[in-house]
Amino acid sequence: MSFEKFINQELTGWMVAEGEHADIVLSTRIRLARNLQDHLFPVCASQEDAAAVDEAVHQAVSKMRDQHFTGTAMVDLTPLQRQILVEKHLVSPQLIDPEKHGSVLLSEDETISIMVNEEDHIRIQCIYPGFQIDEAYELADRVDSEMEKNIDYAFDETFGYLTSCPSNTGTGMRASVMMHLPALTITKQIERIIPAISRLGMVVRGSYGEGSEALGNIYQISNQITLGKSEEEILKDLKSISARLIAHERKSRELLLAKSEVHLENRLFRSLGTLTHARILPSAEAAKCLSDVRLGIDLNIIENIDMSVLNELMIFMQPGYLQQYAGTELTSDERDILRAQLFRDRLKIERSAEPDGDQELS
Amino acid sequence: MLCENCKERPATVVFKQETPTGITERHLCDKCAFYSQTFSFSPGQEPLSIQQFLAHWLGGSELFSEQKADEKLPDGPKCPNCGLTFHRFLDVGKFGCATCYDAFRQQLPRVFAKLHNGHTQHGGKIPVSLNERFALKRKLEDIRTKMREAVEEERFEEAAALRDEANLVKQQLDDGGDDQHVI
């Protein structure tokens, strides 16, 4: 089955550490929610309805000229394969609900994912590494406009694109940037920033592998408002808030370094020690240590580790990946042991080129 | 133990969240745990589900009771296509189909104003294939707004250029607008 390459191919485009501000912004994502006219929304559609929508979307996608997509129904994948797609952020956790008749179409490079019968009939998602809001929107917009040639979208002159949830009505667009903000978190400034950002029509939530926990000092900033503003205005607001957050984070990093360099170094190297030597590594601890090591690399305190490796590990440390790597189901304890082994192996390879670091003691 | 969020269903999920002040633990039912992921969190602020948002912030019960007092439409309007009533919509927080938007047209500005910072009308992309004429009308409005701003700020040269642009768009509209683009 040709779709398997998307599951077996471990790295995906957005995991490489590149793009603007790649030290702070991990990835940029644009999601457009669209529905077909004359079909009930997935939330109350019958199986026949869902199948008809699926067929119509697949037809429309197959007619697209400049992109080749490979699709699969969720029911044709094993639960583990579905989980891996979620962990790679290629599909949402809601899509893999086996009762939903959902399917996904992925572009060759995995940058574009078109989900069918999630909360809406169609969800077009584009993910880019780093801070690339305009690029991600441009691509999503192009896919959307191509789709529109072959499909009649549910659209209203007053309300815009009609979506299942009223929080998406209008543009149907959710633009988000995933940011690593350890200095703002350590200095507790994030507590004041989050409510301020919320008042500007943006949402800040913790995000680690689409989960609900704000682990690893990774935050996702996205627009809350989809009605009344144009896509460009929404993106402009998000860009300006992100840019301010990035600047603020950099300043806080400098301040941390200036005020308590030894304490900071101590913390970051201890975390590196945990990742390179632990025998049992629970996911929360791994996330915390990864955040510290990432900060260490950004501040040139920790050397000889490539940022892409950390992005890789951030994905591989998740349950689905670990089980795929092991080739079998694992208990939580077994996963913690395997995770520790994986981190040791991966970071050992990375640091093998490094000269022995403790020579300064002599 | 009851769900800390809805206080209706039994708590089945322990929801851990790392906030800058430490890890908070909440006991939630499946439904609230699921929906709490879609809203923002901030220290001291409880995540809200879309249903709660509609029911509490909008005053769903208040709307409903207004209609109840009326005794004509106890459930508010009903969508002729999927059968969803407005009351049920407030309860589940989701539309059943595109026709719901027509059926609840009168009630929706209030819902949207609360959800979208006071906005009730779309101001973004329009499917070209659907309505070129509508896009032209929107473009004309935009140009006229910019023109007014330019006049107010005494940027007369720019205002004159915008006026010419507006006339061009108006001409396109008068000529039937979309016809030339359909092909």
Side-chain angles (χ1 to χ4, degrees), chain B residues 3-131:
Chain B
C3 168
E4 283 174 30
N5 201 37
C6 64
K7 299 191 172 55
E8 282 174 14
R9 294 175 286 270
T12 51
V13 177
V14 182
F15 208 82
K16 282 188 187 167
Q17 203 163 43
E18 190 187 67
T19 68
T21 47
I23 291 176
T24 58
E25 215 175 81
R26 305 174 71 230
H27 296 262
L28 302 177
C29 66
D30 286 342
K31 206 172 172 183
C32 291
F34 176 78
Y35 281 109
S36 60
Q37 292 181 35
T38 59
F39 275 84
S40 65
F41 80 91
S42 65
Q45 183 198 320
E46 294 294 295
L48 270 177
S49 73
I50 185 85
Q51 290 97 327
Q52 287 176 306
F53 187 87
L54 289 172
H56 300 299
W57 288 26
L58 171 68
S61 51
E62 173 206 330
L63 257 186
F64 186 42
S65 61
E66 275 170 22
Q67 281 153 356
K68 252 194 175 162
D70 210 2
E71 283 193 356
K72 281 179 193 158
L73 294 163
D75 274 343
K78 186 175 179 177
C79 173
N81 187 38
C82 69
L84 185 78
T85 63
F86 185 62
H87 178 224
R88 182 87 189 116
F89 159 68
L90 291 180
D91 195 33
V92 297
K94 300 272 192 293
F95 295 103
C97 66
T99 315
C100 292
Y101 280 86
D102 257 336
F104 311 148
R105 192 167 287 274
Q106 302 301 319
Q107 287 75 17
L108 288 181
R110 210 174 150 199
V111 173
F112 288 138
K114 285 283 181 189
L115 280 170
H116 297 282
N117 270 11
H119 298 289
T120 57
Q121 286 217 341
H122 179 54
K125 184 177 177 179
I126 296 158
V128 179
S129 53
L130 192 79
N131 204 336

Side-chain angles (χ1 to χ4, degrees), chain A residues 164-269:
Chain A
S164 172
C165 186
S167 64
N168 294 320
T169 306
T171 60
M173 181 178 80
R174 193 79 61 212
S176 58
V177 281
M178 229 205 290
M179 289 192 183
H180 181 229
L181 304 173
L184 288 178
T185 312
I186 293 169
T187 56
K188 298 197 189 299
Q189 293 179 75
I190 199 83
E191 291 172 42
R192 287 186 296 119
I193 292 170
I194 290 174
I197 288 179
S198 304
R199 281 195 291 277
L200 297 169
M202 298 281 156
V203 189
V204 182
R205 62 184 174 101
S207 176
Y208 204 83
E210 294 274 335
S212 54
E213 299 178 26
L215 286 176
N217 301 323
I218 289 167
Y219 298 84
Q220 189 171 294
I221 295 98
S222 57
N223 64 303
Q224 188 168 31
I225 294 169
T226 55
L227 191 67
K229 286 184 177 184
S230 68
E231 287 80 357
E232 290 74 18
E233 287 172 306
I234 294 169
L235 298 176
K236 197 175 143 207
D237 289 350
L238 182 63
K239 266 188 281 186
S240 113
I241 286 173
S242 306
R244 277 158 67 185
L245 270 172
I246 292 168
H248 218 56
E249 168 69 20
R250 285 202 207 288
K251 220 172 178 176
S252 302
R253 288 181 183 188
E254 281 168 25
L255 218 68
L256 267 180
L257 205 53
K259 289 209 166 173
S260 50
E261 189 171 354
V262 179
H263 289 275
L264 187 66
E265 279 185 2
N266 181 52
R267 173 182 166 148
L268 306 186
F269 276 112

Side-chain angles (χ1 to χ4, degrees), chain A residues 76-309:
Chain A
D76 293 338
L77 300 176
T78 66
L80 183 59
Q81 288 176 322
R82 293 198 285 263
Q83 195 176 342
I84 284 171
L85 290 180
V86 173
E87 291 178 2
K88 281 175 101 172
H89 297 206
L90 296 178
V91 308
S92 70
Q94 287 91 323
L95 187 78
I96 64 173
D97 180 343
E99 286 173 25
K100 283 208 162 161
H101 317 291
S103 69
V104 66
L105 292 133
L106 296 174
S107 66
E108 282 301 293
D109 63 357
E110 305 183 13
T111 303
I112 313 166
S113 126
I114 300 172
M115 287 174 256
V116 189
N117 289 324
E118 205 242 31
E119 186 180 277
D120 293 292
H121 291 145
I122 302 170
R123 291 216 159 169
I124 301 166
Q125 179 188 275
C126 294
I127 308 189
Y128 271 61
F131 192 52
Q132 303 194 68
I133 297 181
D134 288 331
E135 291 83 352
Y137 176 67
E138 212 173 282
L139 182 61
D141 182 48
R142 212 166 64 220
V143 174
D144 178 49
S145 298
E146 277 287 314
M147 293 273 281
E148 181 202 295
K149 289 179 188 163
N150 306 310
I151 260 179
D152 285 331
Y153 282 149
F155 183 85
D156 180 274
E157 290 198 359
T158 308
F159 301 132
Y161 290 95
L162 306 182
T163 54
S164 172
C165 186
S167 64
N168 294 320
T169 306
T171 60
M173 181 178 80
R174 193 79 61 212
S176 58
V177 281
M178 229 205 290
M179 289 192 183
H180 181 229
L181 304 173
L184 288 178
T185 312
I186 293 169
T187 56
K188 298 197 189 299
Q189 293 179 75
I190 199 83
E191 291 172 42
R192 287 186 296 119
I193 292 170
I194 290 174
I197 288 179
S198 304
R199 281 195 291 277
L200 297 169
M202 298 281 156
V203 189
V204 182
R205 62 184 174 101
S207 176
Y208 204 83
E210 294 274 335
S212 54
E213 299 178 26
L215 286 176
N217 301 323
I218 289 167
Y219 298 84
Q220 189 171 294
I221 295 98
S222 57
N223 64 303
Q224 188 168 31
I225 294 169
T226 55
L227 191 67
K229 286 184 177 184
S230 68
E231 287 80 357
E232 290 74 18
E233 287 172 306
I234 294 169
L235 298 176
K236 197 175 143 207
D237 289 350
L238 182 63
K239 266 188 281 186
S240 113
I241 286 173
S242 306
R244 277 158 67 185
L245 270 172
I246 292 168
H248 218 56
E249 168 69 20
R250 285 202 207 288
K251 220 172 178 176
S252 302
R253 288 181 183 188
E254 281 168 25
L255 218 68
L256 267 180
L257 205 53
K259 289 209 166 173
S260 50
E261 189 171 354
V262 179
H263 289 275
L264 187 66
E265 279 185 2
N266 181 52
R267 173 182 166 148
L268 306 186
F269 276 112
R270 274 171 176 270
S271 287
L272 179 62
T274 303
L275 293 187
T276 48
H277 289 83
R279 263 45 186 178
I280 297 170
L281 195 54
S283 60
E285 190 179 12
K288 182 205 156 279
C289 293
L290 265 181
S291 169
D292 282 348
V293 172
R294 178 180 285 274
L295 179 62
I297 296 170
D298 287 340
L299 294 174
N300 295 321
I301 291 173
I302 296 173
E303 289 170 338
N304 290 341
I305 298 180
D306 193 273
M307 197 61 94
S308 301
V309 175

